[in-house]
Amino acid sequence: MAGEFGKRALVIHGNNAARTKPLLAGIEAAKMEYSCFEVRGEPTVEQIADGVNQARLAESELVIGFGGGSVIDSAKAIAGLVTNPGAILDYLEVIGKGKQLTFPAMPCVAMPTTAGTGAEVTRNSVLASLEHRVKVSLRSTFLLPRLAIVDPKLTIDLPPSVTASTGLDALTQLIEPYVSIRANPVTDGFCAEGMRRVTRSLRRAYDQGQDLQAREDMALASLFGGLSLANAGLGAVHGFAAPIGGMFHAPHGAVCAALLPHVTAVNLRAMRERLNDSAALSRYDSVAKILTGSEKATAVDGIGWINDLCKALQIAGLRSYGVTEAHIGVLVEKAAKASSMKANPIVLTDEELTEALQAAL
Ligand SMILES: [Zn+2]
Protein backbone atom coordinates (compact mmCIF):
# COMPACT_ATOMS: atom_id res chain seq x y z
CA MET A 1 0.00 0.00 0.00
CA ALA A 2 2.85 2.39 0.84
CA GLY A 3 4.06 1.80 -2.72
CA GLU A 4 1.30 4.10 -3.93
CA PHE A 5 3.17 6.99 -2.29
CA GLY A 6 6.51 6.39 -4.02
CA LYS A 7 9.17 3.87 -4.89
CA ARG A 8 12.05 5.00 -2.66
CA ALA A 9 11.40 4.89 1.07
CA LEU A 10 13.39 6.33 3.93
CA VAL A 11 12.76 3.91 6.82
CA ILE A 12 13.20 5.51 10.24
CA HIS A 13 13.68 3.07 13.12
CA GLY A 14 14.93 2.94 16.71
CA ASN A 15 17.97 1.23 18.16
CA ASN A 16 16.72 -2.31 17.54
CA ALA A 17 17.21 -2.54 13.79
CA ALA A 18 16.55 -6.32 13.79
CA ARG A 19 12.85 -5.65 14.45
CA THR A 20 12.49 -3.92 11.11
CA LYS A 21 13.43 -7.08 9.15
CA PRO A 22 9.86 -8.16 8.29
CA LEU A 23 9.04 -4.59 7.23
CA LEU A 24 12.12 -4.34 5.01
CA ALA A 25 11.30 -7.75 3.47
CA GLY A 26 7.81 -6.44 2.69
CA ILE A 27 9.26 -3.32 1.06
CA GLU A 28 11.55 -5.47 -1.10
CA ALA A 29 8.67 -7.74 -2.05
CA ALA A 30 6.77 -4.65 -3.21
CA LYS A 31 9.75 -3.88 -5.48
CA MET A 32 10.50 -0.65 -3.63
CA GLU A 33 13.93 0.68 -2.69
CA TYR A 34 14.82 1.89 0.78
CA SER A 35 17.49 3.37 2.95
CA CYS A 36 17.42 3.27 6.74
CA PHE A 37 17.95 6.01 9.32
CA GLU A 38 18.34 5.18 13.00
CA VAL A 39 17.03 7.46 15.73
CA ARG A 40 18.60 6.90 19.16
CA GLY A 41 16.49 8.05 22.08
CA GLU A 42 14.27 11.09 21.74
CA PRO A 43 14.86 13.06 18.55
CA THR A 44 17.01 16.16 18.58
CA VAL A 45 17.03 19.06 16.16
CA GLU A 46 20.54 17.99 15.13
CA GLN A 47 19.46 14.39 14.39
CA ILE A 48 16.51 15.54 12.33
CA ALA A 49 18.81 17.73 10.23
CA ASP A 50 20.87 14.60 9.45
CA GLY A 51 17.72 12.69 8.50
CA VAL A 52 16.57 15.49 6.19
CA ASN A 53 19.99 15.44 4.48
CA GLN A 54 19.83 11.69 4.04
CA ALA A 55 16.33 11.85 2.54
CA ARG A 56 17.52 14.48 0.05
CA LEU A 57 20.68 12.55 -0.89
CA ALA A 58 18.77 9.28 -1.31
CA GLU A 59 16.04 11.10 -3.27
CA SER A 60 13.46 9.44 -1.03
CA GLU A 61 9.82 9.70 -2.10
CA LEU A 62 8.20 8.63 1.15
CA VAL A 63 9.14 8.25 4.81
CA ILE A 64 8.16 5.26 6.94
CA GLY A 65 8.40 5.57 10.73
CA PHE A 66 8.59 2.16 12.46
CA GLY A 67 9.03 2.48 16.22
CA GLY A 68 7.94 4.33 19.33
CA GLY A 69 6.83 7.94 19.61
CA SER A 70 10.37 9.24 19.10
CA VAL A 71 10.69 7.41 15.80
CA ILE A 72 7.24 8.43 14.57
CA ASP A 73 7.89 12.07 15.51
CA SER A 74 11.23 11.91 13.67
CA ALA A 75 9.58 10.49 10.57
CA LYS A 76 6.93 13.24 10.63
CA ALA A 77 9.51 16.00 11.11
CA ILE A 78 11.82 14.70 8.38
CA ALA A 79 8.91 14.26 5.96
CA GLY A 80 7.78 17.82 6.68
CA LEU A 81 11.17 19.50 6.52
CA VAL A 82 12.61 17.74 3.47
CA THR A 83 10.20 19.60 1.20
CA ASN A 84 10.70 22.98 2.89
CA PRO A 85 13.82 25.16 2.52
CA GLY A 86 15.78 26.83 5.30
CA ALA A 87 16.95 25.86 8.78
CA ILE A 88 14.89 23.74 11.19
CA LEU A 89 14.93 26.52 13.79
CA ASP A 90 12.97 28.74 11.39
CA TYR A 91 9.99 26.44 11.92
CA LEU A 92 10.20 25.73 15.67
CA GLU A 93 8.03 27.38 18.30
CA VAL A 94 9.45 28.94 21.50
CA ILE A 95 13.16 28.69 20.54
CA GLY A 96 12.89 29.50 16.81
CA LYS A 97 10.93 31.74 14.50
CA GLY A 98 7.80 29.56 14.53
CA LYS A 99 7.34 29.97 10.77
CA GLN A 100 4.67 27.84 9.09
CA LEU A 101 5.75 25.09 6.71
CA THR A 102 5.00 26.36 3.20
CA PHE A 103 4.99 23.17 1.19
CA PRO A 104 3.17 19.88 1.84
CA ALA A 105 5.24 17.14 3.48
CA MET A 106 6.51 14.05 1.76
CA PRO A 107 4.05 11.18 2.33
CA CYS A 108 4.66 9.62 5.75
CA VAL A 109 3.58 6.17 6.93
CA ALA A 110 3.49 5.73 10.72
CA MET A 111 3.76 2.27 12.30
CA PRO A 112 3.86 2.57 16.12
CA THR A 113 5.57 -0.25 18.04
CA THR A 114 4.68 1.16 21.46
CA ALA A 115 1.29 2.11 22.88
CA GLY A 116 1.38 5.57 24.40
CA THR A 117 2.03 8.68 22.38
CA GLY A 118 -0.59 8.41 19.65
CA ALA A 119 1.93 10.29 17.51
CA GLU A 120 0.65 8.47 14.44
CA VAL A 121 -2.41 10.74 14.38
CA THR A 122 -1.06 14.09 15.61
CA ARG A 123 0.13 17.13 13.67
CA ASN A 124 3.13 17.99 15.80
CA SER A 125 6.56 16.53 16.29
CA VAL A 126 8.34 16.96 19.62
CA LEU A 127 12.03 17.69 19.19
CA ALA A 128 14.70 18.31 21.80
CA SER A 129 17.17 21.10 21.29
CA LEU A 130 20.50 20.19 22.90
CA GLU A 131 21.52 23.82 22.63
CA HIS A 132 18.46 25.23 24.42
CA ARG A 133 17.89 22.23 26.75
CA VAL A 134 14.17 22.17 26.09
CA LYS A 135 11.73 20.15 24.04
CA VAL A 136 9.57 22.05 21.59
CA SER A 137 7.11 21.20 18.88
CA LEU A 138 7.23 21.53 15.16
CA ARG A 139 3.57 22.07 14.24
CA SER A 140 1.79 21.91 10.92
CA THR A 141 -1.27 20.26 9.47
CA PHE A 142 1.18 18.89 6.88
CA LEU A 143 2.75 16.70 9.59
CA LEU A 144 -0.27 14.43 9.94
CA PRO A 145 0.91 11.05 8.56
CA ARG A 146 -0.75 9.98 5.32
CA LEU A 147 -1.26 6.47 6.68
CA ALA A 148 -1.20 5.09 10.24
CA ILE A 149 -0.89 1.33 10.72
CA VAL A 150 -1.76 0.46 14.32
CA ASP A 151 -1.05 -3.23 14.93
CA PRO A 152 -1.06 -4.33 18.59
CA LYS A 153 1.07 -7.36 17.69
CA LEU A 154 3.99 -4.99 17.20
CA THR A 155 3.82 -4.16 20.93
CA ILE A 156 3.83 -7.74 22.27
CA ASP A 157 7.56 -7.80 23.06
CA LEU A 158 7.73 -4.46 24.88
CA PRO A 159 9.41 -4.84 28.28
CA PRO A 160 7.26 -4.05 31.35
CA SER A 161 9.03 -0.76 32.12
CA VAL A 162 8.29 0.59 28.63
CA THR A 163 4.74 -0.77 28.76
CA ALA A 164 4.30 1.14 32.04
CA SER A 165 5.72 4.50 31.00
CA THR A 166 4.12 4.57 27.54
CA GLY A 167 0.80 3.32 28.94
CA LEU A 168 0.76 6.05 31.56
CA ASP A 169 1.48 8.63 28.85
CA ALA A 170 -1.61 7.30 27.06
CA LEU A 171 -3.66 7.68 30.25
CA THR A 172 -2.41 11.25 30.78
CA GLN A 173 -3.23 12.07 27.16
CA LEU A 174 -6.79 10.87 27.75
CA ILE A 175 -7.33 12.71 31.05
CA GLU A 176 -5.80 16.08 30.08
CA PRO A 177 -7.88 16.59 26.89
CA TYR A 178 -10.98 15.48 28.83
CA VAL A 179 -10.61 18.30 31.39
CA SER A 180 -9.01 20.80 28.99
CA ILE A 181 -10.57 24.17 28.20
CA ARG A 182 -10.84 22.93 24.60
CA ALA A 183 -12.65 19.68 25.42
CA ASN A 184 -15.42 18.93 22.94
CA PRO A 185 -18.01 16.19 22.41
CA VAL A 186 -15.95 14.36 19.78
CA THR A 187 -12.84 14.06 21.91
CA ASP A 188 -14.92 13.36 25.05
CA GLY A 189 -16.04 10.07 23.50
CA PHE A 190 -12.52 9.04 22.58
CA CYS A 191 -11.22 9.99 26.03
CA ALA A 192 -13.88 8.10 27.96
CA GLU A 193 -13.51 4.94 25.87
CA GLY A 194 -9.71 5.17 26.00
CA MET A 195 -9.74 5.53 29.80
CA ARG A 196 -11.97 2.46 30.09
CA ARG A 197 -9.49 0.43 28.05
CA VAL A 198 -6.51 1.63 30.12
CA THR A 199 -8.41 0.78 33.29
CA ARG A 200 -9.02 -2.80 32.29
CA SER A 201 -5.79 -3.51 30.42
CA LEU A 202 -2.72 -1.52 31.48
CA ARG A 203 -1.92 -3.66 34.51
CA ARG A 204 -2.53 -6.81 32.46
CA ALA A 205 -0.27 -5.65 29.62
CA TYR A 206 2.39 -4.88 32.24
CA ASP A 207 2.08 -8.24 34.05
CA GLN A 208 1.43 -10.43 31.00
CA GLY A 209 2.97 -8.81 27.98
CA GLN A 210 1.83 -11.60 25.65
CA ASP A 211 -1.86 -10.87 26.29
CA LEU A 212 -2.95 -9.65 22.87
CA GLN A 213 -6.35 -8.41 24.09
CA ALA A 214 -4.66 -6.18 26.65
CA ARG A 215 -2.19 -4.98 24.02
CA GLU A 216 -5.05 -4.17 21.66
CA ASP A 217 -6.78 -2.11 24.35
CA MET A 218 -3.60 -0.15 24.98
CA ALA A 219 -2.93 0.39 21.26
CA LEU A 220 -6.43 1.83 20.91
CA ALA A 221 -6.10 3.90 24.08
CA SER A 222 -2.92 5.40 22.65
CA LEU A 223 -4.60 6.12 19.32
CA PHE A 224 -7.61 7.72 21.05
CA GLY A 225 -5.26 9.82 23.20
CA GLY A 226 -3.51 11.07 20.07
CA LEU A 227 -6.80 11.98 18.41
CA SER A 228 -7.94 13.74 21.59
CA LEU A 229 -4.84 15.80 22.26
CA ALA A 230 -4.64 16.84 18.62
CA ASN A 231 -8.14 18.29 18.85
CA ALA A 232 -8.52 19.37 22.48
CA GLY A 233 -4.99 20.08 23.72
CA LEU A 234 -3.29 18.87 26.91
CA GLY A 235 -2.57 20.53 30.26
CA ALA A 236 -0.10 21.26 33.03
CA VAL A 237 1.35 17.72 33.19
CA HIS A 238 2.55 18.04 29.62
CA GLY A 239 3.46 21.66 30.27
CA PHE A 240 6.03 20.37 32.78
CA ALA A 241 7.01 17.35 30.69
CA ALA A 242 8.40 19.59 27.93
CA PRO A 243 11.14 21.33 29.95
CA ILE A 244 11.83 18.27 32.13
CA GLY A 245 12.31 16.16 29.01
CA GLY A 246 14.64 18.82 27.61
CA MET A 247 16.82 19.00 30.73
CA PHE A 248 16.89 15.39 31.97
CA HIS A 249 17.09 11.91 30.52
CA ALA A 250 13.75 10.50 31.61
CA PRO A 251 11.07 8.53 29.74
CA HIS A 252 8.32 10.97 28.81
CA GLY A 253 5.52 8.71 30.10
CA ALA A 254 7.23 8.18 33.46
CA VAL A 255 7.57 11.95 33.88
CA CYS A 256 3.87 12.38 33.11
CA ALA A 257 2.92 9.62 35.53
CA ALA A 258 4.97 11.12 38.36
CA LEU A 259 3.26 14.48 37.85
CA LEU A 260 -0.31 13.38 37.10
CA PRO A 261 -1.72 12.86 40.64
CA HIS A 262 -0.09 16.03 42.01
CA VAL A 263 -1.09 18.28 39.12
CA THR A 264 -4.61 16.92 39.41
CA ALA A 265 -4.72 17.74 43.13
CA VAL A 266 -3.45 21.28 42.58
CA ASN A 267 -5.82 21.85 39.63
CA LEU A 268 -8.77 20.74 41.76
CA ARG A 269 -7.89 22.98 44.68
CA ALA A 270 -7.24 25.99 42.45
CA MET A 271 -10.58 25.56 40.69
CA ARG A 272 -12.45 25.21 44.00
CA GLU A 273 -10.78 28.40 45.24
CA ARG A 274 -11.33 30.68 42.26
CA LEU A 275 -13.19 28.93 39.43
CA ASN A 276 -15.83 27.00 41.30
CA ASP A 277 -18.21 26.94 38.35
CA SER A 278 -15.63 25.26 36.08
CA ALA A 279 -17.03 22.32 34.14
CA ALA A 280 -13.69 20.62 34.65
CA LEU A 281 -14.53 20.06 38.34
CA SER A 282 -17.33 17.64 37.51
CA ARG A 283 -15.23 16.24 34.67
CA TYR A 284 -12.60 15.14 37.20
CA ASP A 285 -15.42 13.33 39.03
CA SER A 286 -16.35 11.59 35.78
CA VAL A 287 -12.72 10.56 35.27
CA ALA A 288 -12.70 9.06 38.77
CA LYS A 289 -15.91 7.10 38.08
CA ILE A 290 -14.39 5.57 34.95
CA LEU A 291 -11.04 4.77 36.56
CA THR A 292 -12.43 3.23 39.73
CA GLY A 293 -15.51 1.66 38.18
CA SER A 294 -17.57 3.12 41.03
CA GLU A 295 -20.52 5.46 40.46
CA LYS A 296 -19.91 6.98 43.90
CA ALA A 297 -16.32 7.96 43.16
CA THR A 298 -15.23 11.61 43.24
CA ALA A 299 -12.13 13.35 41.93
CA VAL A 300 -10.14 12.53 45.06
CA ASP A 301 -10.78 8.81 44.56
CA GLY A 302 -9.43 9.20 41.03
CA ILE A 303 -6.18 10.63 42.39
CA GLY A 304 -5.92 7.65 44.76
CA TRP A 305 -6.50 5.23 41.88
CA ILE A 306 -3.75 6.86 39.81
CA ASN A 307 -1.36 6.74 42.79
CA ASP A 308 -2.05 3.01 43.26
CA LEU A 309 -1.49 2.35 39.56
CA CYS A 310 1.83 4.24 39.58
CA LYS A 311 2.93 2.17 42.59
CA ALA A 312 1.95 -1.11 40.93
CA LEU A 313 3.82 -0.12 37.77
CA GLN A 314 6.89 0.93 39.79
CA ILE A 315 6.88 4.54 38.67
CA ALA A 316 9.57 6.50 40.49
CA GLY A 317 9.48 10.15 41.51
CA LEU A 318 11.22 12.77 39.39
CA ARG A 319 14.18 12.84 41.79
CA SER A 320 15.30 9.48 40.37
CA TYR A 321 16.00 11.27 37.06
CA GLY A 322 18.05 13.97 38.73
CA VAL A 323 15.39 16.63 39.27
CA THR A 324 15.92 18.40 42.61
CA GLU A 325 14.58 21.40 44.51
CA ALA A 326 17.30 23.48 42.84
CA HIS A 327 15.65 22.95 39.43
CA ILE A 328 12.12 23.90 40.45
CA GLY A 329 12.44 27.63 39.72
CA VAL A 330 13.66 27.25 36.16
CA LEU A 331 11.26 24.38 35.41
CA VAL A 332 8.26 26.39 36.63
CA GLU A 333 9.34 29.35 34.53
CA LYS A 334 9.72 27.21 31.39
CA ALA A 335 6.54 25.19 32.03
CA ALA A 336 4.46 28.35 32.34
CA LYS A 337 5.47 29.21 28.76
CA ALA A 338 4.91 25.72 27.33
CA SER A 339 2.19 25.41 24.71
CA SER A 340 0.42 22.53 26.53
CA MET A 341 -0.13 24.78 29.56
CA LYS A 342 -2.59 26.91 27.60
CA ALA A 343 -5.26 24.18 27.61
CA ASN A 344 -5.06 23.50 31.37
CA PRO A 345 -8.54 23.96 32.91
CA ILE A 346 -7.28 26.84 35.06
CA VAL A 347 -4.27 29.17 34.86
CA LEU A 348 -2.06 28.05 37.74
CA THR A 349 0.08 30.52 39.68
CA ASP A 350 3.82 30.02 39.98
CA GLU A 351 3.24 28.99 43.61
CA GLU A 352 0.78 26.30 42.55
CA LEU A 353 3.08 25.03 39.82
CA THR A 354 5.90 24.92 42.35
CA GLU A 355 3.77 22.94 44.79
CA ALA A 356 2.79 20.34 42.15
CA LEU A 357 6.37 19.88 40.98
CA GLN A 358 7.73 19.67 44.53
CA ALA A 359 5.24 16.91 45.32
CA ALA A 360 6.25 14.95 42.20
CA LEU A 361 9.98 14.82 43.10
ZN1 LIG B 1 2.55 12.66 26.37
Side-chain angles (χ1 to χ4, degrees):
M1 188 158 178
E4 290 171 21
F5 302 140
K7 286 289 166 209
R8 277 187 301 279
L10 179 67
V11 177
I12 320 279
H13 60 77
N15 56 13
N16 189 356
R19 294 194 66 198
T20 60
K21 275 199 180 128
L23 170 67
L24 299 180
I27 293 174
E28 280 172 9
K31 303 220 176 333
M32 292 164 62
E33 293 169 26
Y34 66 84
S35 64
C36 290
F37 182 76
E38 180 176 324
V39 174
R40 285 181 185 272
E42 297 182 342
T44 61
V45 173
E46 295 78 2
Q47 258 188 329
I48 296 304
D50 289 345
V52 170
N53 278 340
Q54 183 173 330
R56 285 181 181 148
L57 285 173
E59 296 181 12
S60 306
E61 295 173 334
L62 74 151
V63 179
I64 301 175
F66 180 90
S70 297
V71 168
I72 306 282
D73 271 3
S74 301
K76 288 156 61 182
I78 291 168
L81 290 163
V82 74
T83 55
N84 283 275
I88 296 183
L89 270 182
D90 291 348
Y91 301 103
L92 290 178
E93 63 178 26
V94 185
I95 57 170
K97 294 184 192 151
K99 251 172 58 179
Q100 288 295 306
L101 293 180
T102 314
F103 300 104
M106 191 172 277
C108 176
V109 179
M111 299 180 70
T113 60
T114 62
T117 66
E120 66 275 14
V121 290
T122 61
R123 295 165 297 217
N124 68 312
S125 172
V126 182
L127 308 179
S129 166
L130 299 177
E131 189 190 336
H132 303 86
R133 298 188 80 202
V134 70
K135 279 196 201 172
V136 293
S137 272
L138 174 68
R139 289 177 199 280
S140 170
T141 49
F142 292 141
L143 292 194
L144 188 66
R146 192 77 65 87
L147 177 67
I149 301 174
V150 180
D151 181 354
K153 287 201 272 313
L154 296 176
T155 67
I156 281 282
D157 294 326
L158 283 181
S161 63
V162 180
T163 302
S165 62
T166 51
L168 286 161
D169 185 26
L171 177 63
T172 310
Q173 295 181 169
L174 292 159
I175 293 176
E176 291 207 299
Y178 192 73
V179 299
S180 123
I181 53 165
R182 288 164 49 205
N184 63 72
V186 176
T187 53
D188 285 352
F190 283 122
C191 291
E193 179 60 19
M195 282 188 266
R196 269 180 221 113
R197 288 177 189 263
V198 171
T199 304
R200 73 178 179 222
S201 289
L202 178 50
R203 281 182 193 232
R204 204 142 46 90
Y206 177 79
D207 291 331
Q208 302 163 43
Q210 301 294 311
D211 186 325
L212 191 57
Q213 185 61 52
R215 293 295 192 182
E216 183 181 311
D217 272 346
M218 290 311 300
L220 282 168
S222 169
L223 174 65
F224 292 171
L227 291 169
S228 302
L229 79 89
N231 292 286
L234 288 161
V237 174
H238 277 83
F240 274 123
I244 292 174
M247 287 174 65
F248 302 90
H249 275 290
H252 167 73
V255 170
C256 290
L259 287 158
L260 182 59
H262 306 294
V263 166
T264 303
V266 168
N267 267 348
L268 281 171
R269 201 193 60 219
M271 282 188 286
R272 288 202 186 104
E273 282 173 6
R274 54 181 195 276
L275 203 66
N276 208 16
D277 56 349
S278 169
L281 273 172
S282 64
R283 282 175 170 265
Y284 272 121
D285 289 335
S286 305
V287 168
K289 288 181 177 51
I290 295 173
L291 297 182
T292 62
S294 162
E295 272 308 303
K296 292 196 195 102
T298 62
V300 176
D301 303 312
I303 295 174
W305 187 93
I306 294 166
N307 271 325
D308 289 347
L309 179 66
C310 288
K311 233 177 258 161
L313 269 49
Q314 300 185 20
I315 292 297
L318 295 177
R319 207 180 289 278
S320 62
Y321 304 110
V323 188
T324 67
E325 279 79 2
H327 301 108
I328 289 180
V330 63
L331 287 172
V332 165
E333 190 191 326
K334 286 184 177 179
K337 283 189 228 148
S339 52
S340 295
M341 199 60 89
K342 297 189 183 93
N344 199 57
I346 183 166
V347 178
L348 296 173
T349 64
D350 284 358
E351 290 71 35
E352 286 162 344
L353 290 172
T354 300
E355 182 189 334
L357 183 54
Q358 173 79 51
L361 290 184

